[in-house]
Amino acid sequence: MEILDVREHDPEEYEGKGINIRGCLYRIGPQIGAGHSKIVHVLRNARSGLHLNALAIYRDSDSGRQELGRELAFKALDDLIEGQGVVPSLMEVDLPGGVAYVQDYIGPYEPAPSQDIMAAERLMAAGEWIGAIDVYSRVLETQPDHTVALFNCASALNSTGHPEQAAHLMARAIDIEPNDRAYLHDYVKYCSAAERPTQVMDGWRAITERYPHDTSCQLYVDKVPQQAAALHNRGVQLAAEGHWNEAVALTDRAIESYVRLAEFDHKKVDQELAESLLNYGVFTRAIGNLIGGVQPLLQTMRIAHEYGRHDLYDLAAHAMRQALARDRQTVEQELERLTGGPVPLWFSKPS
């Protein structure tokens, strides 16, 4: 497929060309609109074959950039007014030699949906979630890249109380179609319901990179610190009950969440991160993974030293001494690998 270059191709040649938008390849379909300033074509996702977006290409780059700026500002204002959603979602496109944006395509997503697809949509409209899930699952066996089936099946799964499975399907959908605002929004929503705060942050970042005006997922992002704390606390409880492997898994998820939050303002979460790192180091030692606990304990001491948290520093140093007592050679080798030199004396001394 030849890739579109507006410097080389005339508007009459756009149809049939390819365009790569944030790593997703599309084929430019028929022209569906034209005006004084821009030409609009439907886009066909090269992997799924579905039509979910329309591409608007400005005839003149200089004036087009100014007009697009006004369009985006209008959209941002529209979203702020109680989320009215009157203006279609707009995403600026990096088009070599030109200025363009993508918006939702209001039209059939495929020319002739299968009988199963239409039957599943009727079941969805009637609120018969289990029946819809069964039919969509059958569709996905033969059309695994059908993102509309993935999207609707995920919605039905969430409605039956299975947000984890719904999030999994939406992860598949956005891998195929990463630029659809509704897909990204529902992925974040389901990840939040499934208490997957790291994935919430990743999905939110994907939305804001594409649609800076979008604030619809902020309520899910606001829950991330509480969800990270809940994961941490549940890990502590599981450890107290002797369920060490489960405690390690939950604490690892808490750490991932705090690391994502730290990318925005590390001072707000550094100490919570240090507490989870400390627990991870202790829990991994309990299951016999001495090497896996060394780096988290070192990180705990670094953060504790920075914030004057002598309690955390001493607990991490004590845990390190216990690991050394169990297998000094193994732990010393890991410490030397991580620090790049002989085992430092400060780590085993009280602060």
Side-chain angles (χ1 to χ4, degrees), residues 197-198 228 231-232 248-262 269 272-281 296 299-300:
T198 302
L231 290 170
H232 171 93
V248 167
L250 280 183
T251 306
D252 186 47
R253 286 171 55 190
I255 290 169
E256 287 182 350
S257 304
Y258 285 130
V259 167
R260 287 292 192 284
L261 288 167
V269 296
E272 288 84 355
L273 171 60
E275 291 176 2
S276 289
L277 287 166
L278 171 62
N279 285 351
Y280 189 86
Q299 289 178 285
T300 300

mmCIF file of all heavy atoms in Angstrom, residues 197-198 228 231-232 248-262 269 272-281 296 299-300:
data_model
loop_
_atom_site.group_PDB
_atom_site.id
_atom_site.type_symbol
_atom_site.label_atom_id
_atom_site.label_comp_id
_atom_site.label_asym_id
_atom_site.label_seq_id
_atom_site.Cartn_x
_atom_site.Cartn_y
_atom_site.Cartn_z
ATOM 1 N N PRO A 197 -4.900 -0.166 38.576
ATOM 2 C CA PRO A 197 -4.539 1.253 38.465
ATOM 3 C C PRO A 197 -3.420 1.549 37.482
ATOM 4 O O PRO A 197 -3.411 2.614 36.858
ATOM 5 C CB PRO A 197 -4.132 1.623 39.903
ATOM 6 C CG PRO A 197 -3.873 0.329 40.597
ATOM 7 C CD PRO A 197 -4.754 -0.676 39.954
ATOM 8 N N THR A 198 -2.466 0.630 37.312
ATOM 9 C CA THR A 198 -1.394 0.873 36.339
ATOM 10 C C THR A 198 -1.968 1.000 34.943
ATOM 11 O O THR A 198 -1.601 1.904 34.172
ATOM 12 C CB THR A 198 -0.371 -0.272 36.376
ATOM 13 O OG1 THR A 198 0.162 -0.383 37.693
ATOM 14 C CG2 THR A 198 0.756 -0.019 35.393
ATOM 15 N N ALA A 228 -4.072 2.032 44.681
ATOM 16 C CA ALA A 228 -2.716 1.567 44.969
ATOM 17 C C ALA A 228 -2.569 1.259 46.453
ATOM 18 O O ALA A 228 -1.976 0.232 46.834
ATOM 19 C CB ALA A 228 -1.702 2.627 44.540
ATOM 20 N N LEU A 231 -4.280 -2.031 47.261
ATOM 21 C CA LEU A 231 -3.456 -3.176 46.869
ATOM 22 C C LEU A 231 -2.355 -3.424 47.900
ATOM 23 O O LEU A 231 -2.087 -4.571 48.288
ATOM 24 C CB LEU A 231 -2.833 -2.932 45.493
ATOM 25 C CG LEU A 231 -3.788 -2.939 44.297
ATOM 26 C CD1 LEU A 231 -3.071 -2.441 43.045
ATOM 27 C CD2 LEU A 231 -4.346 -4.343 44.053
ATOM 28 N N HIS A 232 -1.716 -2.349 48.337
ATOM 29 C CA HIS A 232 -0.670 -2.459 49.354
ATOM 30 C C HIS A 232 -1.217 -3.096 50.633
ATOM 31 O O HIS A 232 -0.629 -4.037 51.182
ATOM 32 C CB HIS A 232 -0.107 -1.070 49.655
ATOM 33 C CG HIS A 232 0.823 -1.016 50.822
ATOM 34 N ND1 HIS A 232 2.189 -1.132 50.692
ATOM 35 C CD2 HIS A 232 0.585 -0.866 52.152
ATOM 36 C CE1 HIS A 232 2.755 -1.061 51.884
ATOM 37 N NE2 HIS A 232 1.806 -0.893 52.784
ATOM 38 N N VAL A 248 2.999 -11.112 47.379
ATOM 39 C CA VAL A 248 4.013 -10.591 46.457
ATOM 40 C C VAL A 248 3.345 -10.026 45.204
ATOM 41 O O VAL A 248 3.684 -8.932 44.735
ATOM 42 C CB VAL A 248 5.021 -11.702 46.079
ATOM 43 C CG1 VAL A 248 5.874 -11.268 44.883
ATOM 44 C CG2 VAL A 248 5.914 -12.034 47.263
ATOM 45 N N ALA A 249 2.376 -10.762 44.649
ATOM 46 C CA ALA A 249 1.721 -10.333 43.416
ATOM 47 C C ALA A 249 0.981 -9.004 43.604
ATOM 48 O O ALA A 249 1.086 -8.095 42.768
ATOM 49 C CB ALA A 249 0.759 -11.414 42.928
ATOM 50 N N LEU A 250 0.230 -8.875 44.698
ATOM 51 C CA LEU A 250 -0.518 -7.641 44.937
ATOM 52 C C LEU A 250 0.416 -6.475 45.227
ATOM 53 O O LEU A 250 0.187 -5.344 44.768
ATOM 54 C CB LEU A 250 -1.495 -7.827 46.096
ATOM 55 C CG LEU A 250 -2.804 -8.545 45.776
ATOM 56 C CD1 LEU A 250 -3.700 -8.578 47.001
ATOM 57 C CD2 LEU A 250 -3.553 -7.855 44.637
ATOM 58 N N THR A 251 1.474 -6.731 45.989
ATOM 59 C CA THR A 251 2.422 -5.661 46.307
ATOM 60 C C THR A 251 3.146 -5.192 45.054
ATOM 61 O O THR A 251 3.424 -3.997 44.890
ATOM 62 C CB THR A 251 3.425 -6.135 47.363
ATOM 63 O OG1 THR A 251 2.705 -6.628 48.505
ATOM 64 C CG2 THR A 251 4.330 -4.995 47.814
ATOM 65 N N ASP A 252 3.433 -6.103 44.153
ATOM 66 C CA ASP A 252 4.048 -5.740 42.875
ATOM 67 C C ASP A 252 3.130 -4.809 42.087
ATOM 68 O O ASP A 252 3.582 -3.830 41.481
ATOM 69 C CB ASP A 252 4.354 -7.000 42.077
ATOM 70 C CG ASP A 252 5.123 -6.695 40.806
ATOM 71 O OD1 ASP A 252 6.107 -5.944 40.870
ATOM 72 O OD2 ASP A 252 4.739 -7.214 39.732
ATOM 73 N N ARG A 253 1.823 -5.083 42.106
ATOM 74 C CA ARG A 253 0.872 -4.205 41.420
ATOM 75 C C ARG A 253 0.816 -2.837 42.084
ATOM 76 O O ARG A 253 0.697 -1.802 41.402
ATOM 77 C CB ARG A 253 -0.513 -4.847 41.394
ATOM 78 C CG ARG A 253 -0.635 -5.999 40.404
ATOM 79 C CD ARG A 253 -1.950 -6.746 40.565
ATOM 80 N NE ARG A 253 -3.093 -5.860 40.475
ATOM 81 C CZ ARG A 253 -4.352 -6.226 40.774
ATOM 82 N NH1 ARG A 253 -4.582 -7.478 41.159
ATOM 83 N NH2 ARG A 253 -5.350 -5.375 40.660
ATOM 84 N N ALA A 254 0.904 -2.799 43.414
ATOM 85 C CA ALA A 254 0.921 -1.519 44.123
ATOM 86 C C ALA A 254 2.154 -0.709 43.721
ATOM 87 O O ALA A 254 2.071 0.500 43.468
ATOM 88 C CB ALA A 254 0.905 -1.748 45.631
ATOM 89 N N ILE A 255 3.310 -1.382 43.640
ATOM 90 C CA ILE A 255 4.549 -0.701 43.242
ATOM 91 C C ILE A 255 4.408 -0.129 41.837
ATOM 92 O O ILE A 255 4.767 1.035 41.588
ATOM 93 C CB ILE A 255 5.741 -1.675 43.317
ATOM 94 C CG1 ILE A 255 6.050 -1.998 44.784
ATOM 95 C CG2 ILE A 255 6.973 -1.079 42.646
ATOM 96 C CD1 ILE A 255 7.026 -3.147 44.961
ATOM 97 N N GLU A 256 3.891 -0.927 40.906
ATOM 98 C CA GLU A 256 3.698 -0.438 39.534
ATOM 99 C C GLU A 256 2.831 0.818 39.525
ATOM 100 O O GLU A 256 3.094 1.764 38.784
ATOM 101 C CB GLU A 256 3.039 -1.518 38.682
ATOM 102 C CG GLU A 256 3.944 -2.674 38.307
ATOM 103 C CD GLU A 256 3.231 -3.678 37.419
ATOM 104 O OE1 GLU A 256 1.995 -3.564 37.263
ATOM 105 O OE2 GLU A 256 3.902 -4.567 36.870
ATOM 106 N N SER A 257 1.789 0.817 40.342
ATOM 107 C CA SER A 257 0.876 1.960 40.390
ATOM 108 C C SER A 257 1.581 3.201 40.927
ATOM 109 O O SER A 257 1.433 4.305 40.376
ATOM 110 C CB SER A 257 -0.333 1.626 41.260
ATOM 111 O OG SER A 257 -0.985 0.460 40.807
ATOM 112 N N TYR A 258 2.338 3.040 41.995
ATOM 113 C CA TYR A 258 3.048 4.190 42.564
ATOM 114 C C TYR A 258 4.124 4.705 41.607
ATOM 115 O O TYR A 258 4.366 5.919 41.529
ATOM 116 C CB TYR A 258 3.676 3.814 43.908
ATOM 117 C CG TYR A 258 2.681 3.712 45.034
ATOM 118 C CD1 TYR A 258 2.641 2.594 45.869
ATOM 119 C CD2 TYR A 258 1.777 4.746 45.296
ATOM 120 C CE1 TYR A 258 1.732 2.494 46.909
ATOM 121 C CE2 TYR A 258 0.851 4.660 46.329
ATOM 122 C CZ TYR A 258 0.841 3.530 47.139
ATOM 123 O OH TYR A 258 -0.078 3.436 48.170
ATOM 124 N N VAL A 259 4.758 3.793 40.883
ATOM 125 C CA VAL A 259 5.769 4.219 39.902
ATOM 126 C C VAL A 259 5.122 5.083 38.823
ATOM 127 O O VAL A 259 5.667 6.110 38.414
ATOM 128 C CB VAL A 259 6.481 2.998 39.286
ATOM 129 C CG1 VAL A 259 7.295 3.407 38.060
ATOM 130 C CG2 VAL A 259 7.389 2.328 40.318
ATOM 131 N N ARG A 260 3.922 4.684 38.354
ATOM 132 C CA ARG A 260 3.221 5.490 37.350
ATOM 133 C C ARG A 260 2.864 6.863 37.920
ATOM 134 O O ARG A 260 3.024 7.891 37.260
ATOM 135 C CB ARG A 260 1.928 4.792 36.905
ATOM 136 C CG ARG A 260 2.125 3.600 36.022
ATOM 137 C CD ARG A 260 2.678 3.959 34.642
ATOM 138 N NE ARG A 260 2.586 2.833 33.749
ATOM 139 C CZ ARG A 260 3.380 1.774 33.768
ATOM 140 N NH1 ARG A 260 4.369 1.719 34.652
ATOM 141 N NH2 ARG A 260 3.218 0.781 32.917
ATOM 142 N N LEU A 261 2.361 6.887 39.141
ATOM 143 C CA LEU A 261 1.996 8.156 39.764
ATOM 144 C C LEU A 261 3.224 9.032 39.967
ATOM 145 O O LEU A 261 3.155 10.263 39.821
ATOM 146 C CB LEU A 261 1.310 7.897 41.108
ATOM 147 C CG LEU A 261 -0.107 7.331 41.040
ATOM 148 C CD1 LEU A 261 -0.553 6.830 42.405
ATOM 149 C CD2 LEU A 261 -1.089 8.384 40.529
ATOM 150 N N ALA A 262 4.357 8.417 40.289
ATOM 151 C CA ALA A 262 5.584 9.173 40.522
ATOM 152 C C ALA A 262 6.074 9.871 39.264
ATOM 153 O O ALA A 262 6.801 10.864 39.349
ATOM 154 C CB ALA A 262 6.673 8.248 41.066
ATOM 155 N N VAL A 269 4.137 10.564 46.246
ATOM 156 C CA VAL A 269 3.969 9.116 46.437
ATOM 157 C C VAL A 269 5.254 8.389 46.794
ATOM 158 O O VAL A 269 5.227 7.178 47.025
ATOM 159 C CB VAL A 269 3.358 8.458 45.174
ATOM 160 C CG1 VAL A 269 1.964 8.982 44.908
ATOM 161 C CG2 VAL A 269 4.262 8.665 43.962
ATOM 162 N N GLU A 272 5.032 6.312 50.059
ATOM 163 C CA GLU A 272 4.155 5.154 49.903
ATOM 164 C C GLU A 272 4.827 4.091 49.045
ATOM 165 O O GLU A 272 4.723 2.887 49.317
ATOM 166 C CB GLU A 272 2.828 5.576 49.269
ATOM 167 C CG GLU A 272 1.917 6.381 50.186
ATOM 168 C CD GLU A 272 2.259 7.860 50.203
ATOM 169 O OE1 GLU A 272 3.270 8.254 49.568
ATOM 170 O OE2 GLU A 272 1.523 8.631 50.853
ATOM 171 N N LEU A 273 5.526 4.546 47.984
ATOM 172 C CA LEU A 273 6.284 3.612 47.146
ATOM 173 C C LEU A 273 7.333 2.882 47.970
ATOM 174 O O LEU A 273 7.499 1.658 47.845
ATOM 175 C CB LEU A 273 6.943 4.376 46.001
ATOM 176 C CG LEU A 273 7.944 3.594 45.137
ATOM 177 C CD1 LEU A 273 7.275 2.405 44.465
ATOM 178 C CD2 LEU A 273 8.583 4.510 44.084
ATOM 179 N N ALA A 274 8.038 3.609 48.828
ATOM 180 C CA ALA A 274 9.074 2.988 49.664
ATOM 181 C C ALA A 274 8.491 1.922 50.583
ATOM 182 O O ALA A 274 9.094 0.859 50.789
ATOM 183 C CB ALA A 274 9.789 4.061 50.488
ATOM 184 N N GLU A 275 7.306 2.175 51.118
ATOM 185 C CA GLU A 275 6.676 1.182 52.005
ATOM 186 C C GLU A 275 6.318 -0.082 51.234
ATOM 187 O O GLU A 275 6.501 -1.204 51.745
ATOM 188 C CB GLU A 275 5.438 1.795 52.655
ATOM 189 C CG GLU A 275 5.773 2.886 53.669
ATOM 190 C CD GLU A 275 4.541 3.562 54.238
ATOM 191 O OE1 GLU A 275 3.417 3.140 53.870
ATOM 192 O OE2 GLU A 275 4.687 4.502 55.026
ATOM 193 N N SER A 276 5.823 0.079 50.018
ATOM 194 C CA SER A 276 5.513 -1.104 49.205
ATOM 195 C C SER A 276 6.780 -1.834 48.794
ATOM 196 O O SER A 276 6.826 -3.074 48.779
ATOM 197 C CB SER A 276 4.709 -0.690 47.958
ATOM 198 O OG SER A 276 3.391 -0.308 48.303
ATOM 199 N N LEU A 277 7.831 -1.089 48.462
ATOM 200 C CA LEU A 277 9.111 -1.723 48.113
ATOM 201 C C LEU A 277 9.665 -2.510 49.287
ATOM 202 O O LEU A 277 10.187 -3.624 49.124
ATOM 203 C CB LEU A 277 10.115 -0.659 47.676
ATOM 204 C CG LEU A 277 9.883 -0.018 46.304
ATOM 205 C CD1 LEU A 277 10.724 1.247 46.154
ATOM 206 C CD2 LEU A 277 10.199 -1.005 45.180
ATOM 207 N N LEU A 278 9.557 -1.944 50.480
ATOM 208 C CA LEU A 278 10.014 -2.649 51.681
ATOM 209 C C LEU A 278 9.267 -3.959 51.858
ATOM 210 O O LEU A 278 9.874 -5.020 52.075
ATOM 211 C CB LEU A 278 9.813 -1.755 52.904
ATOM 212 C CG LEU A 278 10.040 -2.417 54.267
ATOM 213 C CD1 LEU A 278 11.477 -2.895 54.419
ATOM 214 C CD2 LEU A 278 9.664 -1.451 55.395
ATOM 215 N N ASN A 279 7.944 -3.889 51.745
ATOM 216 C CA ASN A 279 7.147 -5.106 51.898
ATOM 217 C C ASN A 279 7.492 -6.136 50.827
ATOM 218 O O ASN A 279 7.580 -7.332 51.111
ATOM 219 C CB ASN A 279 5.656 -4.775 51.836
ATOM 220 C CG ASN A 279 5.170 -4.118 53.105
ATOM 221 O OD1 ASN A 279 5.899 -4.049 54.096
ATOM 222 N ND2 ASN A 279 3.947 -3.620 53.079
ATOM 223 N N TYR A 280 7.692 -5.662 49.617
ATOM 224 C CA TYR A 280 8.034 -6.590 48.528
ATOM 225 C C TYR A 280 9.344 -7.300 48.839
ATOM 226 O O TYR A 280 9.477 -8.520 48.629
ATOM 227 C CB TYR A 280 8.142 -5.826 47.209
ATOM 228 C CG TYR A 280 8.289 -6.724 46.003
ATOM 229 C CD1 TYR A 280 7.174 -7.252 45.374
ATOM 230 C CD2 TYR A 280 9.549 -7.031 45.485
ATOM 231 C CE1 TYR A 280 7.299 -8.077 44.262
ATOM 232 C CE2 TYR A 280 9.687 -7.855 44.374
ATOM 233 C CZ TYR A 280 8.561 -8.374 43.769
ATOM 234 O OH TYR A 280 8.695 -9.194 42.681
ATOM 235 N N GLY A 281 10.321 -6.549 49.327
ATOM 236 C CA GLY A 281 11.594 -7.164 49.673
ATOM 237 C C GLY A 281 11.455 -8.207 50.763
ATOM 238 O O GLY A 281 12.089 -9.275 50.711
ATOM 239 N N PRO A 296 14.570 -3.896 45.632
ATOM 240 C CA PRO A 296 13.538 -3.124 46.334
ATOM 241 C C PRO A 296 13.990 -2.611 47.692
ATOM 242 O O PRO A 296 13.637 -1.488 48.084
ATOM 243 C CB PRO A 296 12.393 -4.142 46.476
ATOM 244 C CG PRO A 296 12.593 -5.091 45.350
ATOM 245 C CD PRO A 296 14.077 -5.197 45.197
ATOM 246 N N GLN A 299 16.223 0.365 47.116
ATOM 247 C CA GLN A 299 15.412 1.524 46.743
ATOM 248 C C GLN A 299 14.704 2.103 47.959
ATOM 249 O O GLN A 299 14.579 3.328 48.091
ATOM 250 C CB GLN A 299 14.378 1.112 45.680
ATOM 251 C CG GLN A 299 14.968 0.818 44.319
ATOM 252 C CD GLN A 299 13.901 0.361 43.340
ATOM 253 O OE1 GLN A 299 13.415 -0.769 43.400
ATOM 254 N NE2 GLN A 299 13.534 1.242 42.433
ATOM 255 N N THR A 300 14.242 1.234 48.836
ATOM 256 C CA THR A 300 13.583 1.706 50.057
ATOM 257 C C THR A 300 14.542 2.568 50.869
ATOM 258 O O THR A 300 14.178 3.660 51.338
ATOM 259 C CB THR A 300 13.120 0.517 50.914
ATOM 260 O OG1 THR A 300 12.214 -0.281 50.175
ATOM 261 C CG2 THR A 300 12.441 1.005 52.188
#
